[in-house]
């Protein structure tokens, strides 16, 4: 700027209002890099595509936020409402769903393109911001997957929970922090929602703000050079806009044709449900199949973190490693990229082949798909109708006199909380009184009628979960760990007779 005042060129355009009133030119100046032309200039439009897709995630996410309620009671109903009732709701949700996968891909291409041009040398901040962004986009995808609370979401959450719980040392802490307690509960969904819709977007915006407003990665140049760069930059902005526009149209059409998945609510999932994660996580999911128990968790977390961390610190690797290697950054970067590429592409392909080559898996997946299609084509059922036919029992110790007047709230407001339901007696399931041995051994934790206790899981509807048939429950009582059930629930193998176990399991499986 100061140089401009000194120059006496008459052709100098007078300061535009953009320069006078906005910081746009400063931002442009932080973004200008060495000009390139032809194919390279077009390759660089991944930047514009990433910005467009990111903005689209924010906009569609906010729109979904107008309807979505993050509670285990309402989440699925509100997402169905978006899908079935809200005009263009299905399309907006599709854009958000597919957009997250396209964004992951665009960011990877962006990084590959920057690596190819050795951008990490000149622009370490821009490079690191992109790597961090990729990590955050993965985190957003993983937490977002739970939010619709259908079978897919529920089992996705189970997988995440399992990975967190299996981590060495921090496993239990990580698991209970993630779940908000000892098991998946209403708190879990609230927590995933807070991460997905508040914390991760806030960090993304912070990273972007730092990238645009805090760091400058270019030396000051002469006024003539500055004008040449600006001219190039303006052409480059047009190229970016074209690329982003084309990708947007493609995504919009794709989302119009192909729906974001939504199945029946989580609690109606039949036993044997096969969880499948979103496309960007398929490779990780496949890898978990090969790894035994705890190693799986460790590798599932450590490997992606190491790759991302290695890429993020690439700009700083030159000095410390110069003695050991000729081109440390180029070699390590290339190794990380090829490792990630090989891992992701091959495992993703294997995951698809695996699913389609096993007839049992294929049949189950087709059944799940058919269920989702049937659910999609069925009319929307409001929450009140859904809950009044399957009322849950009052939590222990709430002696609310108003709890006996049916599905209406005390003041008759139209949104009854499912907890304010029919009295415990009236809503009792078809099973009779609990067996004595249940009262003696189990009710302290699971409640006299399976309704649960603070911090302890309820057993209502437990039979609709996978691996919870009568036989399974007997097996679970003998060896809880084999069924993924952890302390404080302990083995009852030799505390109960076989007859008691069976009677108890039959009663528990009948709890609705
Ligand atoms: C000390 C408290 C405690 C006692 C006593 C107890 N449980 Fe549990 N139970 C738990 C906890 C906690 C879990 C969840 C553990 C997990 O998910 O890792 C659980 C899980 C279960 C599950 C699986 C629930 C699901 O959602 O899949 C069943 C079934 C079950 N218990 C049945 C029983 C029966 C039957 C008895 C009596 C013989 C009993 N429990 C006694 C604490 C207890």
């Amino acid at each position: 700027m100061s140089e401009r005042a000194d120059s006496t060129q008459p052709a100098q355009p007078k300061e535009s209002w953009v320069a006078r009133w906005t910081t746009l030119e400063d931002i442009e100046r932080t973004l200008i890099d060495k000009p390139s032309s032809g194919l390279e200039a077009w390759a660089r439009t991944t930047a514009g595509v990433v910005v467009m897709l990111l903005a689209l995630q924010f906009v569609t996410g906010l729109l979904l936020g107008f309807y979505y309620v993050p509670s285990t009671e309402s989440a699925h109903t509100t997402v169905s409402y978006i899908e079935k009732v809200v005009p263009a709701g299905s399309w907006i949700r599709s854009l958000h769903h597919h957009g997250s996968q396209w964004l992951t891909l665009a960011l990877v291409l962006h990084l590959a393109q920057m690596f190819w041009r050795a951008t990490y040398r000149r622009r370490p901040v821009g490079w690191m911001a992109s790597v961090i962004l990729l990590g955050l986009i993965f985190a957003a995808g993983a937490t977002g997957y739970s939010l619709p609370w259908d079978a897919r979401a529920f089992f996705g959450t189970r997988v995440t929970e399992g990975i967190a719980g299996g981590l060495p040392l921090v496993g239990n802490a990580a698991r209970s922090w993630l779940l908000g307690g000892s098991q998946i509960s209403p708190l879990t969904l609230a927590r995933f929602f807070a991460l997905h819709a508040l914390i991760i977007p806030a960090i993304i915006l912070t990273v972007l703000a730092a990238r645009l407003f805090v760091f400058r990665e270019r030396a000051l140049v002469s006024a003539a050079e500055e004008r040449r760069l600006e001219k190039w930059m303006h052409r480059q902005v047009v190229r970016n806009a074209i690329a982003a526009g084309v990708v947007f149209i493609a995504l919009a059409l794709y989302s119009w044709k192909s729906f974001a998945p939504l199945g029946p609510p989580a609690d109606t999932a039949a036993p044997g449900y096969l969880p499948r994660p979103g496309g960007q996580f398929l490779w990780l999911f496949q890898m978990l199949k090969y790894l035994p128990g705890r190693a799986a968790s460790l590798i599932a977390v450590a490997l992606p973190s190491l790759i991302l961390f290695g890429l993020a610190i690439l700009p700083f690797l030159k000095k410390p490693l110069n003695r050991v290697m000729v081109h440390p950054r180029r070699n390590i970067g290339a190794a990380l990229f090829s490792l990630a590429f090989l891992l992701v592409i091959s495992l993703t392909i294997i995951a698809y082949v695996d699913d389609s080559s096993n007839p049992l898996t294929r049949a189950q997946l087709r059944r799940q798909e058919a269920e989702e299609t049937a659910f999609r084509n069925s009319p929307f059922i409001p929450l009140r109708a859904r809950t009044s036919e399957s009322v849950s029992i009052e939590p222990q110790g709430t002696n609310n006199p108003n709890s006996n007047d049916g599905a209406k709230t005390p003041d008759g407001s139209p949104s009854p909380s499912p907890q304010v339901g029919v009295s415990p007696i009236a809503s009792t399931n078809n099973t009779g009184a609990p067996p004595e041995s249940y009262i003696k051994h189990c009710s302290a934790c699971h409640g006299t009628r399976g309704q649960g206790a603070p911090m302890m899981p309820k057993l209502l509807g437990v039979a609709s979960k996978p691996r919870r048939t009568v036989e399974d429950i007997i097996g679970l009582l003998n060896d809880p760990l084999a069924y993924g059930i952890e302390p404080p629930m302990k083995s009852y193998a030799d505390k109960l007779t076989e007859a008691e176990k069976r009677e108890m399991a039959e009663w528990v499986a009948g709890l609705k």
Side-chain angles (χ1 to χ4, degrees):
M1 276 296 172
S2 58
E3 280 162 274
R4 237 177 228 187
D6 303 339
S7 73
T8 46
Q9 284 174 338
Q12 178 77 42
K14 75 175 199 310
E15 205 174 50
S16 70
W17 68 267
V18 176
R20 170 82 180 75
W21 292 102
T22 71
T23 55
L24 286 178
E25 291 204 341
D26 297 330
I27 295 175
E28 184 186 71
R29 221 162 283 131
T30 54
L31 287 177
I32 293 181
D33 190 12
K34 218 172 59 185
S36 40
S37 59
L39 185 65
E40 193 175 318
W42 281 103
R44 289 172 69 172
T45 57
T46 50
V49 175
V50 166
V51 169
M52 182 278 292
L53 288 172
L54 200 55
L56 191 66
Q57 289 307 103
F58 272 91
V59 172
T60 50
L62 287 173
L63 290 175
L64 294 173
F66 279 114
Y67 295 98
Y68 180 72
V69 177
S71 83
T72 40
E73 294 296 342
S74 328
H76 184 268
T77 311
T78 50
V79 176
S80 318
Y81 185 80
I82 293 171
E83 282 284 338
K84 298 179 181 188
V85 182
V86 176
S90 173
W91 182 57
I92 289 172
R93 187 166 164 260
S94 270
L95 281 175
H96 197 70
H97 175 87
H98 299 309
S100 78
Q101 299 178 3
W102 288 39
L103 179 55
T104 312
L105 182 65
L107 258 171
V108 170
L109 291 177
H110 185 57
L111 279 173
Q113 170 268 111
M114 287 170 93
F115 179 70
W116 170 52
R117 295 189 300 114
T119 308
Y120 50 82
R121 254 184 244 157
R122 291 188 309 278
R123 337 205 73 208
V125 177
W127 168 263
M128 277 166 56
S130 304
V131 179
I132 295 172
L133 213 52
L134 182 61
L136 289 168
I137 295 302
F138 270 121
T143 46
Y145 207 68
S146 300
L147 302 185
W149 214 241
D150 55 355
R152 215 177 249 280
F154 179 79
F155 289 101
T157 314
R158 268 267 138 113
V159 175
T160 318
E161 174 202 350
I163 292 178
L167 288 175
L169 302 179
V170 295
N172 271 337
R175 179 172 171 274
S176 55
W177 182 82
L178 203 61
L179 296 186
S182 66
Q183 63 144 18
I184 297 180
S185 73
L187 279 184
T188 312
L189 195 56
R191 197 152 280 205
F192 275 53
F193 181 70
L195 284 169
H196 182 81
L198 300 170
I199 295 170
I200 296 171
I203 304 177
I204 289 178
L205 289 178
T206 310
V207 170
L208 289 182
R211 165 82 184 90
L212 291 179
F213 304 114
V214 178
F215 295 95
R216 184 203 301 283
E217 298 188 288
R218 197 168 55 88
L220 293 167
V221 291
S222 73
E225 176 65 5
E226 188 77 56
R227 270 194 302 285
R228 192 178 78 83
L229 287 178
E230 265 175 26
K231 236 177 165 173
W232 175 81
M233 185 67 181
H234 291 155
R235 279 201 305 275
Q236 187 62 13
V237 168
V238 174
R239 283 193 199 101
N240 272 284
I242 293 172
V246 170
V247 173
F248 175 74
I249 291 170
L251 177 61
L253 291 176
Y254 181 68
S255 302
W256 191 258
K257 287 276 162 226
S258 144
F259 304 113
L262 179 68
D267 50 7
T268 65
Y273 187 92
L274 288 178
R276 285 293 174 270
Q280 74 268 51
F281 292 106
L282 218 48
W283 61 278
L284 196 60
F285 187 72
Q286 185 68 22
M287 196 170 72
L288 290 178
K289 290 189 198 165
Y290 301 131
L291 300 166
R294 296 201 168 243
S297 298
L298 185 60
I299 295 177
V301 173
L303 191 64
S305 316
L306 271 180
I307 293 178
L308 283 180
F309 181 74
L311 287 177
I313 61 163
L314 213 54
F316 309 108
L317 287 184
K318 189 170 161 119
K319 278 227 179 86
L321 291 183
N322 238 354
R323 285 157 187 259
V324 207
M325 238 184 258
V326 190
H327 297 295
R329 294 184 297 194
R330 189 130 284 263
N331 292 339
I332 292 178
L336 287 173
F337 262 109
S338 355
L339 173 68
F341 187 79
L342 261 176
L343 208 66
V344 171
I345 300 287
S346 55
L347 286 175
T348 305
I349 293 174
I350 295 174
Y352 278 116
V353 173
D354 242 22
D355 277 352
S356 59
S357 61
N358 181 340
L360 284 179
T361 313
R362 207 169 52 208
Q364 174 65 22
L365 288 178
R366 209 174 296 137
R367 210 169 315 133
Q368 286 169 206
E369 214 169 281
E371 263 170 24
E372 287 188 357
T373 314
F375 174 76
R376 175 175 295 279
N377 295 332
S378 66
F380 173 71
I381 305 171
L383 186 59
R384 190 214 284 251
R386 219 167 78 73
T387 49
S388 59
E389 70 188 34
S390 60
V391 213
S392 55
I393 300 178
E394 288 270 302
Q396 259 181 335
T398 0
N399 273 331
N400 183 349
N402 285 326
S403 61
N404 283 337
D405 48 10
K408 249 190 270 162
T409 52
D411 57 5
S413 72
S415 58
S417 145
Q419 297 294 1
V420 187
V422 184
S423 78
I425 308 299
S427 69
T428 317
N429 40 69
N430 48 16
T431 35
E436 235 163 72
S437 54
Y438 174 89
I439 297 289
K440 183 165 166 230
H441 293 285
C442 325
S443 63
C445 293
H446 294 295
T448 47
R449 286 176 184 277
Q451 74 273 35
M455 306 299 290
M456 290 293 163
K458 61 174 192 238
L459 296 176
L460 301 172
V462 74
S464 64
K465 293 188 182 175
R467 298 183 77 204
R468 295 289 184 270
T469 61
V470 173
E471 298 307 321
D472 283 328
I473 294 175
I474 294 174
L476 176 158
L477 288 174
N478 287 328
D479 186 3
L481 276 177
Y483 283 77
I485 301 288
E486 300 190 18
M489 172 92 187
K490 51 187 191 294
S491 165
Y492 287 87
D494 34 56
K495 295 202 184 63
L496 299 167
T497 66
E498 289 309 308
E500 278 174 331
K501 282 179 210 157
R502 179 161 296 275
E503 185 192 16
M504 193 184 272
E506 275 166 2
W507 184 81
V508 167
L511 290 169
K512 289 268 158 43

